[in-house]
């Protein structure tokens, strides 16, 4: 369902980022349907778990999850990126119910998540803070400043996902500016490191439970395929930032029709 | 673009495309020219240079601060670096690197940023730099250039190669009317009078130059002769041309695709307030953030149109 929303909303908008939205669709489904405690009718509920989409260009995936959870009507998805719409090209906390912080400038989100986790600690609150980063995004130095701070403050209420799809805009991440070895870097910064198949929701669910138990901040490196679920987009760098149109939309929707998605079972 | 633009200037090109072409030419002529980008080489059009001269192209990845200081190091090493990304990230994310290393060292780094202003369109506020002119203008020794169209962009790029000290060039994503006549000149620090008149002066940069010319047509129909000045160099500002315009026209309207605070309008006010004070109206984004939308719709929604310039100019003339 999330994937079909991504295709429909970006196609309707005529622009957007389907590749990185599709690659994290299963992570979104996991979080919004299995992990995050929220009250869609009361988005500001103090005890809610926090989720922060650091890779803000994947907004179509976030919006699809929020709509399916009932934060706003699914029809809004078709106004994506329109003048005056509540669904902006990148997440805007002043316009969209359920968006915890405005993002779109890569590299800043994890720092905000650290702040949210610190606030939770100050209030002795039970909620968890979750963030999703891109694997190109972690080239930003600020990500590592945030990683250092999270370990420094022993933020065991913080879980980060890295959408490890191995592509960014100008090409493969390891060719543009390699951040490898990624797990070792997080480990060296004082985090518990988990790896998972980013398209296996039950598998990731088990990993998240362990991550929540960790005595320090935890990162889940989710191995994904950019454009996952749409054959012509899979692992194709050119589908990072353009919307499908015409026959390609129909083909994408048809391919996604045949895939059994977890949210459909509910 | 406002009505009338398409018939007046049927040709439309993006300034970033002109930049890509200019870099290719420079690459052939100047072995000391190197280019940097931060994972946006397709969008900024530095990719064309990267393909032709891979050994002189450095992709910093998504790390704009690092890119700017790598450019600084290359400049110290005798190279002429052109560093590109979106305007918001170049001037916002890496501001302090530009201020404390590039500019304070008077290093010849050329920061050429695309995707400035509302005309970014659907990506929305996070990607629409409305503050970059202000951010760069306030740095000592920084030269700031906002070309109005593609041909001017090519000349600007060639002109700034050997300009002393750091330079910021602001480019756009959208295709904009080609209004430069063939062979028009560009010199850093010199304004360009595109249309003469002495009832009111309209001083504009970037995409708002075309809107200003359209406004001048409408003003003429009402018997108001507007002088239209393309102030592509926002810094150093052409104070002499401004003083003359203020004194001969008696009223000034400024127009820019930027917050009205800190950009061209502010610069013009600062200049004429000290030399030839006259009433001024500033057309620009009125101290709010942008949002997603079609570029032309956004310009309309935020009042960056020939209509708005026309009305401001007419009001000033009526009052005067
Ligand atoms: C600070 C900053 N620099 C550049 C960009 C432009 N940009 C948007 S997406 C992107 C590539 C992101 O790659 P990655 O993090 O791997 O995301 P994914 O592959 O999951 O889409 C870039 C460079 C940005 N949004 N923010
Ligand atoms: Mg990626």
């Amino acid at each position: 369902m999330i994937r079909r929303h991504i295709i429909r909303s970006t196609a309707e908008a005529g622009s957007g980022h389907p590749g990185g939205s599709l690659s994290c669709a299963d992570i979104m489904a996991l979080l919004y349907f299995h992990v995050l405690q929220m009250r869609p009718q009361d988005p500001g509920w103090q005890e809610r778990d926090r989720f922060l989409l650091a890779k803000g260009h994947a907004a179509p995936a976030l919006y699809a999850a929020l709509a399916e959870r009932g934060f706003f009507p699914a029809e809004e998805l078709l106004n994506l990126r329109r003048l005056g719409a509540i669904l902006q090209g990148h997440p805007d906390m002043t316009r969209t119910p359920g968006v915890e912080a405005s993002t779109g400038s890569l590299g800043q989100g994890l720092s905000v998540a650290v702040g949210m986790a610190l606030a939770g600690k100050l209030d002795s609150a039970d909620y968890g803070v979750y963030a999703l980063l891109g694997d190109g995004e972690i080239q930003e130095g600020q990500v590592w400043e945030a990683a250092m701070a999270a370990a420094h403050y022993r933020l065991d209420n913080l879980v980060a996902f890295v959408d490890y799809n191995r592509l960014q805009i100008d090409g493969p991440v390891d060719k543009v500016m390699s951040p490898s070895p990624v797990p070792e870097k997080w480990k060296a910064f004082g985090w518990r490191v988990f790896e998972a198949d980013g398209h296996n929701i039950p598998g990731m669910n088990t990993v998240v439970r362990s991550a929540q138990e960790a005595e320090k901040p935890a990162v889940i490196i989710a191995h994904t395929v950019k454009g996952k679920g749409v054959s012509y987009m899979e692992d194709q760098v050119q589908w990072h930032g353009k919307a499908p149109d015409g026959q390609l939309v129909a083909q994408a929707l048809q391919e996604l029709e045949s895939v059994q998605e977890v949210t459909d079972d509910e | 673009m406002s009505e009338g633009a398409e018939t007046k200037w049927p040709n439309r090109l993006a300034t970033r495309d002109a930049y890509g072409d200019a870099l290719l030419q420079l690459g052939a002529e100047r072995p000391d020219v190197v280019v940097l980008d931060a994972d946006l080489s397709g969008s900024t059009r530095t990719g064309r240079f990267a393909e032709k001269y891979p050994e002189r192209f450095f992709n910093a990845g998504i790390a704009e601060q690092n890119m700017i200081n790598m450019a600084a190091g290359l400049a110290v090493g005798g190279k002429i670096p052109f560093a590109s990304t979106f305007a918001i990230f170049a001037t916002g994310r890496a501001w302090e690197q530009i201020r404390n290393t590039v500019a304070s060292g008077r290093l010849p780094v050329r920061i050429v940023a695309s995707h400035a202003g509302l005309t970014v369109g659907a990506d929305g506020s996070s990607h629409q730099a409305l503050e970059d002119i202000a951010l760069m203008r306030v740095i000592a020794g920084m030269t700031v250039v906002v070309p109005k169209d593609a041909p001017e962009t090519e000349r600007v790029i060639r002109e700034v190669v050997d300009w002393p000290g750091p330079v910021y060039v602001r480019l756009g994503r959208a295709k904009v009317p080609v209004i430069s006549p063939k062979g028009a000149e560009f010199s850093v620090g010199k304004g360009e009078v595109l249309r003469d008149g002495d009832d009111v002066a309209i001083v504009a940069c970037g995409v708002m130059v075309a809107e200003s010319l359209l406004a001048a047509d409408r003003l003429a129909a009402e018997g108001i002769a507007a002088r239209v000045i393309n102030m592509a160099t926002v810094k150093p500002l052409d104070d002499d041309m401004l003083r003359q315009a203020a004194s001969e026209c008696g009223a000034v309207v400024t127009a820019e695709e930027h917050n009205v605070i800190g950009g061209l309008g502010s610069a013009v006010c600062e200049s004429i307030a000290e030399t030839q004070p006259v009433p001024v109206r500033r057309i620009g984004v009125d101290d709010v953030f942008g949002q997603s939308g079609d570029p032309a719709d956004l310009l309309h929604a935020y009042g960056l149109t020939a209509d708005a310039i026309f009305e401001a100019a007419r009001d000033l003339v009526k009052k005067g």
Side-chain angles (χ1 to χ4, degrees), chain A residues 95-113:
Chain A
R95 289 177 186 262
T96 314
V99 168
E100 296 283 354
S102 298
T103 50
S105 179
L106 294 168
Q108 302 191 22
L110 190 60
S111 300
V112 181

Side-chain angles (χ1 to χ4, degrees), chain A residues 20 23 55 57 133-137 163-169 171 173 224 226 240:
Chain A
S23 75
K55 43 169 272 186
H57 59 281
L133 289 79
D135 55 353
E137 179 179 15
D163 184 352
Y164 204 61
N165 58 28
R166 297 179 177 273
L167 294 180
Q168 53 189 112
I169 295 183
V173 172
T224 55
K226 203 157 175 170
H240 170 84

Side-chain angles (χ1 to χ4, degrees), chain B residues 74-269:
Chain B
L74 282 157
V76 172
K79 307 299 173 196
I80 304 286
F82 283 76
S84 295
T85 174
F86 290 172
I88 188 69
F89 308 130
T91 67
R93 189 60 147 267
W95 188 85
E96 204 254 351
Q97 281 78 5
I98 296 171
R99 192 262 188 197
N100 266 336
T101 304
V102 172
S104 80
R106 298 200 196 94
L107 296 173
V109 174
R110 283 79 186 87
I111 301 157
V112 184
S114 73
H115 290 59
L118 293 173
T119 49
V120 164
D123 269 351
S125 171
S126 61
H127 285 53
Q128 296 164 344
L130 301 176
E131 309 85 357
D132 55 314
I133 298 175
L135 286 170
M136 293 296 102
R137 192 170 78 85
V138 77
I139 298 175
M142 179 66 76
T143 294
V144 179
V145 187
V146 186
K148 64 180 178 299
D149 65 5
E152 186 167 68
T153 302
E154 273 201 68
R155 286 192 293 278
V156 166
I157 296 303
R158 302 190 71 81
E159 198 66 25
V160 300
V161 177
D162 294 312
W163 187 254
V167 178
Y168 175 61
V169 182
R170 178 192 221 224
L171 305 179
R173 169 181 179 270
K175 289 190 175 167
V176 294
V178 174
I179 61 183
S180 296
K182 268 215 170 78
E185 289 297 311
F186 169 83
S187 319
V188 178
K190 294 277 173 260
E192 177 190 23
V193 178
L194 292 174
R195 177 178 178 133
D196 219 350
D198 54 13
D199 292 331
V200 59
I202 306 172
V203 183
C205 62
V207 298
M208 296 308 288
V209 173
E211 295 294 314
S212 300
L213 288 167
L214 292 172
D217 287 345
R218 286 179 215 174
L219 288 164
E222 306 229 336
I224 299 170
R227 179 178 307 184
V228 178
I229 296 175
N230 167 34
M231 198 57 85
T233 315
V234 179
K235 186 184 178 185
L237 199 58
D238 193 339
D239 296 305
D240 292 339
M241 182 178 282
L242 284 174
R243 184 210 311 238
Q244 194 183 349
S247 113
E248 290 172 7
C249 303
V252 173
V253 176
T254 64
E256 63 195 309
E257 192 194 2
H258 187 275
N259 195 330
V260 287
I261 298 173
L264 174 69
S266 294
V268 168
C269 287

Side-chain angles (χ1 to χ4, degrees), chain A residues 81 88-89 106 139-140 170, chain B residues 39 62 64 93 123 292:
Chain A
R81 294 179 156 243
Q88 293 288 297
L106 294 168
Q139 292 161 343
E140 286 284 2
D170 279 349
Chain B
D39 195 31
I62 311 170
E64 297 77 11
R93 189 60 147 267
D123 269 351
S292 292

